[in-house]
Amino acid sequence: MGRTTRKRRTPLATKAIAASAALALGGGGLVWANFHASAHESDGRDGRTRSAGAQIATIDCPDVGQQLRRLPRGARSGVDRELANLDEQITEAYARLASTRRAQAGDPGFVQNSVLGPLKSKRGAALDRIGINIRRAGGSVPDGLDRFAECRGIPAEQPGTDEGDGQDQDGGQDGGQDQGGGQDGGQDQGGGRQDDNGNGAAGPVAEDFADITAVEPNVQQPQQGEDASTGTFTTECGVNENDLFNSDNLIVAPGVDNGAHHTHDYVGNQDNDAFSSDDDLANAETSCQNPGDRSTYYWPVLRLQDGSREFDANEPGGGAEGNVGTILKAESAEIRFVGNPRSKVVAMPKFLRIITGDAKAFTNGDANANAGWSCTGFEDRVLADKYPLCPDGSKVVRIFDFQSCWDGQNIDSANHRDHVAFADPATGACPEGFQAIPQLTMNLVYDVPRPSIENGQVRNPFAVDGFPEQLHKPVTDHDDFINVMDEELMNRVVDCINNGEDCR
């Protein structure tokens, strides 16, 4: 597979982080060390284990970007760079956390002194630079910004550690195995056992999956009012047949290489990377059948953790940050714009940016988590925090509903969320001061082999790409959109929806 390379940069800092994070296995990618393997040691009685101290599974840092609600426009570029720097610091710290498990087991203060302490210092410096950017642009620095410097460690779940049955009792976080294998699909490296799915403790784990047939129907729709806009507009943009991949994020980290720390699929606009300007987007080619739709639609790739080496196996955003295995392309991508159950819709402004879901929802909490998981034939039941186990003949579905209310003024906001909002789930009404726009909805369907789960261990799971410290949790799924429809097409979309037509 290829990927977009135009205008991309690879700063030395990024290369240094990737090098510090990866343990080379004959040119392979990252090996995430087992955070339980050193946490227990045999007590010599019946093969039981005892805890050698609580182990830290991952790092939880305040999401500074979500705290910055108002920024002077002149500060946004510099602040976005520093926010990306904060993400890079977390990635580097997590890599150190994952590669020093033996040292942690022998020193209860190791994580604080060698991982969290240095991270706090680096974050403090970045927060100071954020303040400088804001003041230079004539803004006021939020009170207490420095309090966001400190991060905490999230302990691994270890139920029943002292009453084991001869196996490592870890609550499923590593499948009960010594995760010593790596990118090569479970070869024993350094004394570890096999079947770590290529990334050790980075997940997913058995508890991240649920049988869709055991889920009760849970999808409800608000009742349609008299002024509802009931039409739809479907745009056909393919499933990334052009192999357009990168680990940038033009919305959140413009001008920053590897700003997403995970690989994205792109459909629609073909000039989408961190360095693309609005003019670049407006003049780009498009994979959409309607040439008036140059919008960019992008989402983190789904991978099968089967030990395969992808094109990004050694690169930041890919294997160097725990995103390993075969990239799975969607079998189909249904991209539709729908109406509002209470009112007519107005046109989206050109270059409006919307993000649905939260790539950091595992540590941030689910306030902005919005993506859903289901299976074909079971779309009346949706999982928010589990990957679905689909029955034979059924396929995995990723479901994204975007914010459908706009503040009427801004194409973006400081935290990339405040300029848009969701309608009330019960009534469909937009918040005061917001107006309804065509709601983007997307269903991505994948033909994925069903993972096997035995004795609390998952084999060959699929997982969404993500920031490494998010442990590939399904709740972190998200989707991004920049509207680059021309005026004529956008007006047609609005007319179709408001007139109750189904158009393409």
Side-chain angles (χ1 to χ4, degrees):
M1 289 183 178
R3 68 166 187 169
T4 181
T5 56
R6 192 183 73 78
K7 298 184 291 187
R8 288 177 58 81
R9 311 287 188 268
T10 305
L12 292 177
T14 302
K15 291 181 179 178
I17 288 172
S20 69
L23 303 176
L25 296 177
L30 181 64
V31 178
W32 297 111
N34 173 20
F35 53 72
H36 296 290
S38 301
H40 305 81
E41 51 191 33
S42 173
D43 64 5
R45 298 192 303 256
D46 302 324
R48 292 186 178 182
T49 58
R50 60 184 173 85
S51 175
Q55 292 289 290
I56 301 301
T58 192
I59 297 169
D60 178 11
C61 298
D63 190 344
V64 178
Q66 296 305 307
Q67 312 301 325
L68 300 176
R69 311 301 292 270
R70 291 178 175 82
L71 288 176
R73 289 194 177 276
R76 287 190 182 178
S77 177
V79 169
D80 281 342
R81 283 194 298 271
E82 291 304 329
L83 292 174
N85 191 27
L86 290 171
D87 286 337
E88 198 166 276
Q89 291 167 0
I90 297 171
T91 296
E92 185 177 27
Y94 180 78
R96 178 155 177 75
L97 180 75
S99 62
T100 57
R101 299 304 181 186
R102 293 181 185 275
Q104 295 167 39
D107 179 1
F110 183 90
V111 172
Q112 181 60 46
N113 296 332
S114 297
V115 180
L116 297 180
L119 177 58
K120 180 179 179 180
S121 296
K122 293 177 181 178
R123 285 173 63 85
L127 291 170
D128 286 343
R129 293 191 294 271
I130 286 175
I132 291 171
N133 275 282
I134 294 173
R135 284 190 290 269
R136 282 178 177 170
S140 299
V141 180
D143 292 337
L145 186 62
D146 57 350
R147 75 183 185 276
F148 299 126
E150 189 167 3
C151 303
R152 69 185 181 96
I154 299 180
E157 298 176 9
Q158 296 174 307
T161 331
D162 295 326
E163 299 296 332
D165 61 357
Q167 296 180 349
D168 192 353
Q169 304 295 317
D170 55 20
Q173 286 290 334
D174 63 359
Q177 301 163 3
D178 188 347
Q179 310 286 345
Q183 178 85 13
D184 61 353
Q187 294 298 316
D188 191 345
Q189 301 286 339
R193 297 180 199 155
Q194 297 182 0
D195 298 328
D196 67 355
N197 302 315
N199 65 2
V205 296
E207 287 80 1
D208 291 326
F209 292 83
D211 187 341
I212 196 68
T213 64
V215 178
E216 293 293 328
N218 56 12
V219 175
Q220 298 180 347
Q221 298 291 341
Q223 291 186 349
Q224 301 285 346
E226 291 183 1
D227 295 326
S229 43
T230 60
T232 66
F233 184 90
T234 300
T235 183
E236 301 283 351
C237 300
V239 292
N240 196 15
E241 289 88 347
N242 294 332
D243 289 343
L244 182 58
F245 300 102
N246 64 46
S247 59
D248 296 346
N249 193 326
L250 178 58
I251 296 176
V252 174
V256 178
D257 185 87
N258 191 42
H261 294 270
H262 51 265
T263 297
H264 286 128
D265 265 316
Y266 290 89
V267 301
N269 201 287
Q270 299 294 288
D271 189 6
N272 191 330
D273 61 32
F275 307 94
S276 298
S277 66
D278 286 352
D279 285 343
D280 289 331
L281 297 176
N283 294 303
E285 297 295 324
T286 180
S287 69
C288 299
Q289 289 183 6
N290 191 318
D293 188 5
R294 292 182 174 84
S295 301
T296 175
Y297 309 88
Y298 63 103
W299 53 83
V301 299
L302 194 68
R303 296 189 196 242
L304 182 63
Q305 292 184 357
D306 57 358
S308 298
R309 294 176 49 78
E310 274 288 3
F311 69 90
D312 58 354
N314 298 319
E315 299 187 32
E321 297 185 68
N323 293 308
V324 299
T326 300
I327 290 177
L328 302 169
K329 282 186 185 175
E331 185 177 87
S332 65
E334 181 187 73
I335 302 175
R336 291 198 311 158
F337 294 87
V338 301
N340 181 280
R342 288 282 299 275
S343 70
K344 303 302 182 185
V345 299
V346 301
M348 292 180 180
K350 198 168 186 176
F351 305 119
L352 176 69
R353 286 144 162 84
I354 310 180
I355 301 170
T356 189
D358 183 0
K360 303 175 184 177
F362 179 56
T363 55
N364 282 350
D366 61 5
N368 290 315
N370 188 55
W373 296 85
S374 188
C375 301
T376 55
F378 298 87
E379 288 90 345
D380 61 344
R381 57 202 77 184
V382 175
L383 298 164
D385 60 353
K386 303 285 186 183
Y387 294 116
L389 295 173
C390 302
D392 290 345
S394 178
K395 299 176 181 180
V396 171
V397 184
R398 294 166 73 180
I399 301 169
F400 303 102
D401 294 330
F402 283 71
Q403 295 88 319
S404 60
C405 303
W406 172 51
D407 69 5
Q409 299 180 20
N410 300 292
I411 62 169
D412 201 358
S413 50
N415 62 7
H416 312 293
R417 295 189 185 275
D418 286 350
H419 63 299
V420 289
F422 285 101
D424 184 282
T427 68
C430 285
E432 185 177 355
F434 285 72
Q435 49 195 317
I437 55 175
Q439 182 181 27
L440 171 59
T441 67
M442 294 179 60
N443 282 10
L444 308 177
V445 178
Y446 295 82
D447 189 4
V448 184
R450 176 174 169 136
S452 62
I453 297 178
E454 298 179 3
N455 300 320
Q457 302 172 18
V458 60
R459 298 285 188 269
N460 290 329
F462 59 87
V464 67
D465 261 22
F467 289 93
E469 79 280 359
Q470 300 299 313
L471 306 184
H472 297 285
K473 297 298 183 183
V475 74
T476 64
D477 202 8
H478 57 283
D479 204 347
D480 303 73
F481 166 68
I482 303 175
N483 172 44
V484 198
M485 289 188 185
D486 61 32
E487 183 177 0
E488 180 181 355
L489 180 59
M490 176 53 65
N491 288 337
R492 183 178 171 220
V493 172
V494 170
D495 289 343
C496 284
I497 291 172
N498 286 340
N499 294 331
E501 302 173 6
D502 295 323
C503 304
R504 292 180 178 270

